[in-house]
Amino acid sequence: MRLLLVEDDDHVAAALSAVLARHGFQVVHARSGEEALRALLPAEKEPFSVVLLDLGLPDQDGYEVCGKIRKRSAIPVIMVTARADVRSRIHGLNLGADDYVVKPYDTGELLARIHAVARRGSSGEDTGATPVAALRLGPVHIELPTRRVSVDGQEVQLTRKEFDLLALLAQRPGVVFRREQIISEVWRTSWEGTGRTLEVHVASLRSKLRLPALIETVRGVGYRLVPPSA
C-alpha cells in the first residue's frame, strides 16, 4: 500500500516512515504542500492509498493543501496536527479530510485510522444503503444515487463521511443507532478510537444543515435522526 507522508520535519518523517514500512507501507515523503501536490499528479505509478497530511507546512497551510487535494482527487486524507480544538477539526473535515489525528498520538491509533480510511477508499462509495432513490425529511432532501443533500432547496456540500452518516440515520428516522453500529457501518471498523471522529462529524452535520436538533444525541447509547417539520 502506497502512502504519501506530507511532513516538513525530516526527523519526524524518518521515524514515522520506518514504523509505517515495518507495517507494509511504501512511503513517499513530501516536505511541502507543493511537493505533495506534484506527487499526486497522474502518473504511471501505482496510486496512493492514503495521504497523511501535517498541517504545519513551510510553504502553505495544510488546510489549503487539503482543499487542493480534494479538488483533484478522492484519495483519503488524514490530517495530523497539534490543533486539538473541535473548531479546527470541523474545519478540516469540511475541507474534505477523512480523519483528523491530534499530536502526540499513539502509533497503534494512527495505524488503525490509516487502515480504516484505506478500506473506505478501496470499497468505493457503497455504505450498505438500501436502493432508495431519495429521502425527504421536512426541508431536508437526500438524493442517494447522486449523494446530494439540500435544505429548503439549497444544496449543502457534505464530505463523503458526513453524507454516509446522514444517509444511514435518515433511512430509519427515529431509530436509535448505537455508536458502535454507526462506526461499523460508516467507517467499516470496530476500532473504539473512531468515536471521537464520529462526534466531530455529527457536530459538523448539525452546523452545515443549520438544523441542530436534526441529529439527537441519546446519552450513553448513540444517535438518532429526528425528522423536522416541513
Side-chain angles (χ1 to χ4, degrees), residues 64-210:
E64 181 182 355
V65 176
C66 180
K68 291 178 179 178
I69 291 174
R70 190 50 67 233
K71 286 180 180 178
R72 65 178 68 178
S73 172
I75 182 173
V77 176
I78 300 177
M79 287 185 171
V80 181
T81 177
R83 307 172 198 176
D85 60 289
V86 172
R87 186 182 297 273
S88 294
R89 292 178 185 233
I90 290 176
H91 182 49
L93 295 170
N94 285 346
L95 288 171
D98 295 82
D99 207 344
Y100 195 107
V101 178
V102 177
K103 298 177 180 178
Y105 51 78
D106 177 80
T107 302
E109 171 187 347
L110 180 64
L111 288 166
R113 289 179 182 259
I114 291 172
H115 284 296
V117 300
R119 282 196 298 272
R120 191 277 308 155
S122 64
S123 63
E125 303 292 353
D126 178 22
T127 62
T130 56
V132 176
L135 299 168
R136 183 171 291 280
L137 301 159
V140 182
H141 184 65
I142 305 169
E143 298 179 10
L144 297 178
T146 60
R147 300 176 66 83
R148 291 182 177 177
V149 175
S150 61
V151 179
D152 288 325
Q154 297 295 314
E155 187 168 350
V156 179
Q157 297 297 323
L158 301 181
T159 65
R160 285 186 299 270
K161 287 302 179 198
E162 288 169 352
F163 180 89
D164 292 344
L165 173 57
L166 178 62
L168 175 66
L169 298 177
Q171 288 179 80
R172 298 178 65 190
V175 174
V176 178
F177 284 79
R178 291 178 294 103
R179 294 167 61 89
E180 296 83 357
Q181 181 182 359
I182 296 172
I183 290 169
S184 175
E185 295 195 31
V186 175
W187 276 266
R188 299 177 185 272
T189 180
S190 59
W191 181 62
E192 294 180 357
T194 312
R196 181 55 180 161
T197 298
L198 170 59
E199 293 174 4
V200 173
H201 277 72
V202 169
S204 181
L205 269 177
R206 288 168 173 161
S207 175
K208 285 187 175 183
L209 298 174
R210 298 184 181 180

